[in-house]
Amino acid sequence: MGETQRMGKQSIEFTKAPHVIGAASVVGKKEGEGPLGNSFDIICEDDRFGEDNWEKSESTMQNEAIQTALKNVGVRPAQVRYLFGGDLLGQLIATSFGVEELNIPLFGLYGACSTCGESLSLAAMTVAAGYADYAAAVTSSHFASAEKQFRFPLAYGNQRPLAATWTVTGSGAFVLAQKGGHARIAGITTGKVVDFGVKDSLNMGACMAPAACDTIYQNLMDFNRQPSDYDRIITGDLGSVGQKILIDLMKEKGFDISGVHMDCGIEIYDSEKQDTHAGGSGCGCSAVTLAAMILPKICRGVWKRVLFVPTGALLSTVSFNEGQSVPGIAHGVIIEHC
Amino acid sequence: MGETQRMGKQSIEFTKAPHVIGAASVVGKKEGEGPLGNSFDIICEDDRFGEDNWEKSESTMQNEAIQTALKNVGVRPAQVRYLFGGDLLGQLIATSFGVEELNIPLFGLYGACSTCGESLSLAAMTVAAGYADYAAAVTSSHFASAEKQFRFPLAYGNQRPLAATWTVTGSGAFVLAQKGGHARIAGITTGKVVDFGVKDSLNMGACMAPAACDTIYQNLMDFNRQPSDYDRIITGDLGSVGQKILIDLMKEKGFDISGVHMDCGIEIYDSEKQDTHAGGSGCGCSAVTLAAMILPKICRGVWKRVLFVPTGALLSTVSFNEGQSVPGIAHGVIIEHC
């Protein structure tokens, strides 16, 4: 405890690293047809998840994700002391209605698509400090509720530029505890708001890449590491356009991450066959990729140490229409095999 | 550290209670004309705070609040390791643009009007665990940006029912540290989503009272206390309608809080002279009342122990228009003279 845990300017290295003992991913039809299709816990053929509107669909999906993650490790909701959750919708309605019946003390979070990293960071801090035996983290996004919130009515059939990403319909949930399982959160690097003045809300990769760069660079500084000290540095949803920018920005700072960089937004769809353009995005994108692909590889020891960096674009239709830029934020989480 | 800090089902008693070493309140004209007018740090005669739209006005107000709180105690932004912040607007745009230039690692939070309690809770957990020497918490609301977000265009001149509250134009910021000053956060009780099925978005007091009751009751149980063990139990923004409901609900559970209950929403305006109906509301309501009135009384020893319980109504225009109920959440923070 205390001083020794803090690393450099923005990071913590946990002396008692909390473990990610359970995880679950729930996705929609399109995600189920993508390259990770075999790895998700639940693929729902009906993107409405049995509900009569998109927001309730997202809530139900989020609830399924938490319930499944808890069931996978035999933990009851009543044993979970804190739930850290969020989504992309105004006033977090997917989360409020999604977690309601669980009766778990809730910290609602908003960090756009970086929220998965934010929730894991705070859950890890909470468990490592001894405030809880079990804490849970959950995030979600839904293509249809996000399009309705941020862009055009689906029926309008709006054309999408090639730099645009496709919001993932998915929710990932994680259960943290002081021990158990084979993945631990060794440390975190908490991001700041980074604004390069980009104003194109249909090119989120360009908006978020500077924030990803800022957090990754700070992580390498704080821990005195090289990119090769990580088996993978995995961003949330930069997509193919943002990835190029990130690699260039990191080179300017003296680090070549091209050999270890991976992006959940690129992994989750086959962009050519699935017409998703630059890749996947949304709170759910990094969360389900972590649950379905990254964590299993870490648990099996294929990867020993990963820097997981969900990235968020901070905008609303109001700020966008008022001509504001789209700043980004990215939260880094170091996950190790154990 | 560890087990001994946890109390009952939902609470923590800090073994090393973090101190609230600094605070600041920035408000608009109407709040400045109210009963607490003499106590605010900054009253802006121009509710636009020099900006050309309401959202930017709220961001500027929030920035002023943090800068003033830090200046009051001689702490530089670079010394603050974490900022916990939030507001009521979709995707937290007031906060994103308000804190941007400070360059402090940010955890964005959403708990509707309970966010002040949520931010103080997480900042206290962070400082008490030794993750930071200084952490800051900030929340804001703005009458005009909130009306635009949740209700009608101002120019429409909509009539308001008597149960309606008036969103406070204000931002409160707090600086927490391991020592200093004469107020400490002795413990917290973290709230759950509580849904009594109330669907009237113009009667937020009724929506939030059950959540306030749930958190206050759990606090008394977890700490084995009576209402009289607190000099005041202070809710965020129930207003006069919600206050009656809360007192009744607590009586049903066997506790009479009528002698010690106070509500920031009732304190902040003179409802008859200022035509605010049931009282004030918004993230800023509890935050500026805490900074301007509650904390100074605690620091002077007028009150030795207060249970501060900001209350939030979890809705968006989307969830409301889809016929969903308005659940509530409330986060309790025990603040003591020291």
Side-chain angles (χ1 to χ4, degrees), chain A residues 162-175:
Chain A
L162 287 173
T165 46
W166 187 277
T167 305
V168 166
T169 298
S171 176
F174 306 92
V175 185

Side-chain angles (χ1 to χ4, degrees), chain A residues 176-212:
Chain A
L176 275 69
Q178 278 151 2
K179 53 189 168 185
H182 296 285
R184 68 179 178 209
I185 296 183
I188 58 172
T189 301
T190 303
K192 305 172 294 191
V193 180
V194 176
D195 192 347
F196 267 34
V198 183
K199 292 194 175 188
D200 184 355
S201 76
L202 288 170
N203 188 350
M204 306 270 237
C207 302
M208 299 186 290

Side-chain angles (χ1 to χ4, degrees), chain A residues 1-3 5-12 14 53-56 81-82 84 88-93 96-97 99-100 103-111 118 121-122 124-126 128-133 148-150 178 188 190-193 195 314-319 322 324-327 329 331, chain B residues 1-3 5-12 14 53-56 81-82 84 88-93 96-97 99-100 103-111 118 121-122 124-126 128-133 148-150 178 188 190-193 195 314-319 322 324-327 329 331:
Chain A
M1 257 304 105
E3 304 296 329
Q5 287 191 297
R6 291 184 229 161
M7 303 291 284
K9 278 190 181 174
Q10 286 172 234
S11 303
I12 294 172
F14 295 114
N53 66 56
W54 298 121
E55 291 74 21
K56 277 196 203 166
R81 212 165 162 93
Y82 299 104
F84 296 87
L88 297 178
L89 304 180
Q91 291 77 45
L92 296 192
I93 50 168
S96 301
F97 293 101
V99 308
E100 196 177 323
N103 251 325
I104 304 173
L106 171 71
F107 288 113
L109 311 177
Y110 186 80
E118 183 181 358
S121 297
L122 286 168
M125 287 164 75
T126 297
Y131 295 134
D133 287 332
K148 178 170 151 189
Q149 175 92 168
F150 294 101
Q178 278 151 2
I188 58 172
T190 303
K192 305 172 294 191
V193 180
D195 192 347
L314 301 167
L315 83 160
S316 77
T317 48
V318 175
S319 67
E322 286 173 353
Q324 297 257 57
S325 58
V326 183
I329 191 165
H331 295 296
Chain B
M1 257 304 105
E3 303 296 329
Q5 289 190 294
R6 293 183 226 163
M7 304 290 284
K9 277 191 183 175
Q10 285 173 234
S11 302
I12 294 170
F14 295 114
N53 65 56
W54 298 122
E55 291 73 22
K56 277 195 202 166
R81 210 164 163 93
Y82 298 103
F84 296 86
L88 297 179
L89 304 180
Q91 291 77 45
L92 297 192
I93 51 168
S96 301
F97 293 102
V99 307
E100 194 177 319
N103 250 326
I104 304 173
L106 171 71
F107 287 113
L109 310 177
Y110 185 81
E118 183 181 356
S121 297
L122 286 168
M125 287 163 74
T126 297
Y131 295 133
D133 288 331
K148 178 169 149 187
Q149 174 93 169
F150 294 102
Q178 277 150 4
I188 58 171
T190 304
K192 302 171 295 191
V193 179
D195 191 348
L314 300 167
L315 83 160
S316 78
T317 48
V318 174
S319 68
E322 287 173 351
Q324 296 258 56
S325 58
V326 183
I329 191 164
H331 295 296

Side-chain angles (χ1 to χ4, degrees), chain A residues 7-287:
Chain A
M7 303 291 284
K9 278 190 181 174
Q10 286 172 234
S11 303
I12 294 172
E13 182 171 51
F14 295 114
T15 41
K16 287 183 184 175
H19 291 217
V20 184
I21 62 165
S25 54
V26 180
V27 298
K29 189 163 179 284
K30 191 181 185 86
E31 291 68 28
E33 291 164 355
L36 307 181
N38 290 329
S39 311
F40 299 118
D41 290 272
I42 297 174
I43 299 167
C44 197
E45 286 300 307
D46 165 23
D47 278 0
R48 288 195 183 263
F49 291 80
E51 301 292 346
D52 60 6
N53 66 56
W54 298 121
E55 291 74 21
K56 277 196 203 166
S57 312
E58 188 174 341
S59 293
T60 299
M61 181 173 68
Q62 197 179 104
N63 188 291
E64 283 283 323
I66 307 172
Q67 302 271 20
T68 306
L70 290 173
K71 207 161 59 183
N72 283 349
V73 288
V75 174
R76 285 172 293 107
Q79 293 175 275
V80 180
R81 212 165 162 93
Y82 299 104
L83 176 59
F84 296 87
D87 60 83
L88 297 178
L89 304 180
Q91 291 77 45
L92 296 192
I93 50 168
T95 303
S96 301
F97 293 101
V99 308
E100 196 177 323
E101 68 166 46
L102 295 168
N103 251 325
I104 304 173
L106 171 71
F107 288 113
L109 311 177
Y110 186 80
C113 309
S114 77
T115 310
C116 179
E118 183 181 358
S119 63
L120 287 170
S121 297
L122 286 168
M125 287 164 75
T126 297
V127 170
Y131 295 134
D133 287 332
Y134 297 105
V138 67
T139 40
S140 67
S141 56
H142 191 297
F143 175 75
S145 64
E147 287 296 304
K148 178 170 151 189
Q149 175 92 168
F150 294 101
R151 297 178 193 99
F152 297 92
L154 288 185
Y156 180 70
N158 183 50
Q159 285 204 326
R160 309 165 63 246
L162 287 173
T165 46
W166 187 277
T167 305
V168 166
T169 298
S171 176
F174 306 92
V175 185
L176 275 69
Q178 278 151 2
K179 53 189 168 185
H182 296 285
R184 68 179 178 209
I185 296 183
I188 58 172
T189 301
T190 303
K192 305 172 294 191
V193 180
V194 176
D195 192 347
F196 267 34
V198 183
K199 292 194 175 188
D200 184 355
S201 76
L202 288 170
N203 188 350
M204 306 270 237
C207 302
M208 299 186 290
C213 172
D214 195 78
T215 298
I216 295 168
Y217 175 77
Q218 201 57 56
N219 177 276
L220 297 175
M221 290 287 114
D222 287 351
F223 288 90
N224 192 23
R225 286 187 183 152
Q226 291 295 318
S228 57
D229 289 325
Y230 292 106
D231 291 302
R232 289 290 184 284
I233 294 176
I234 307 177
T235 46
D237 51 358
L238 295 182
S240 52
V241 176
Q243 180 183 46
K244 286 196 194 79
I245 301 173
L246 171 64
I247 289 172
D248 285 349
L249 288 173
M250 287 299 296
K251 269 195 191 134
E252 282 174 21
K253 288 188 174 271
F255 290 106
D256 180 2
I257 64 164
S258 60
V260 294
H261 183 256
M262 178 182 269
D263 183 71
C264 300
I266 296 175
E267 298 299 315
I268 198 165
Y269 297 123
D270 182 328
S271 66
E272 288 198 12
K273 283 191 198 150
Q274 296 190 287
D275 191 34
T276 49
H277 297 196
S281 62
C283 276
C285 178
S286 55

Side-chain angles (χ1 to χ4, degrees), chain B residues 20-26 41-42 61-77 80 83 102 134-139 171-176 287 291 295:
Chain B
V20 184
I21 62 165
S25 54
V26 180
D41 291 272
I42 298 174
M61 181 173 68
Q62 197 179 106
N63 188 290
E64 283 284 324
I66 307 173
Q67 303 269 19
T68 307
L70 291 173
K71 206 161 62 183
N72 284 348
V73 288
V75 174
R76 285 174 291 107
V80 180
L83 176 59
L102 295 167
Y134 298 106
V138 68
T139 41
S171 176
F174 306 91
V175 185
L176 276 69
L295 270 181

